[in-house]
Amino acid sequence: MEVRIQHLGDVRFEASARGHRVVCDQPSDNGGADSGMTPPEFLLVSLGTCAGFYAAQYLKTRSLSAEGLEVKVTAEKAAQPARLGRFRIEVTMPPLDPHHEAGVLRAVKACLIHNTLLHAPEIETVAR
């Protein structure tokens, strides 16, 4: 898996993967033009879309409707070191019996990004 990031000037960057591109920027009050989401917002998007995918797959494999499936992810900042210190994943799903509701929540908790955040990966940083 690989993503390439190219500096576009000021505080704007373009990320590309498999021919897809997104722009990352900062709000105007942080020196940007607000032409894209910020890095922390991309992290929330990654967590939320992964959770949504796992929930939808759970529903699909059981021939249950995914109509109305939505995920909202919020985060709170923490300091020293600066980071996002708390996440909340809120899944809105079609009406389900308690068994399947619990199953969707188990599926969401099994998502790749959720598990990556729970079990911090090794990060190697190299300057060239």
Side-chain angles (χ1 to χ4, degrees):
M1 194 176 312
E2 179 179 284
V3 175
R4 294 202 172 253
I5 313 298
Q6 185 175 24
H7 185 234
L8 300 178
D10 295 325
V11 294
R12 289 182 66 221
F13 294 85
E14 181 182 85
S16 61
R18 300 178 300 100
H20 304 283
R21 301 180 187 294
V22 293
V23 172
C24 180
D25 199 0
Q26 295 290 318
S28 54
D29 62 358
N30 201 29
D34 205 14
S35 62
M37 287 187 265
T38 64
E41 289 167 333
F42 277 121
L43 181 59
L44 298 184
V45 166
S46 183
L47 179 58
T49 54
C50 186
F53 171 76
Y54 276 66
Q57 287 300 105
Y58 175 92
L59 296 168
K60 179 181 176 182
T61 60
R62 286 152 184 85
S63 300
L64 298 168
S65 173
E67 188 175 333
L69 177 64
E70 286 186 27
V71 179
K72 176 178 151 184
V73 182
T74 55
E76 295 175 15
K77 289 183 180 180
Q80 297 183 4
R83 67 194 184 285
L84 297 177
R86 181 180 180 87
F87 294 88
R88 178 181 168 87
I89 304 169
E90 195 174 308
V91 181
T92 301
M93 57 191 108
L96 298 170
D97 65 50
H99 169 75
H100 286 303
E101 208 171 277
V104 168
L105 291 178
R106 274 193 314 277
V108 166
K109 289 180 180 181
C111 118
L112 179 70
I113 305 303
H114 185 270
N115 281 327
T116 299
L117 292 170
L118 285 176
H119 307 282
E122 238 179 75
I123 300 175
E124 178 183 10
T125 305
V126 178
R128 297 182 189 210

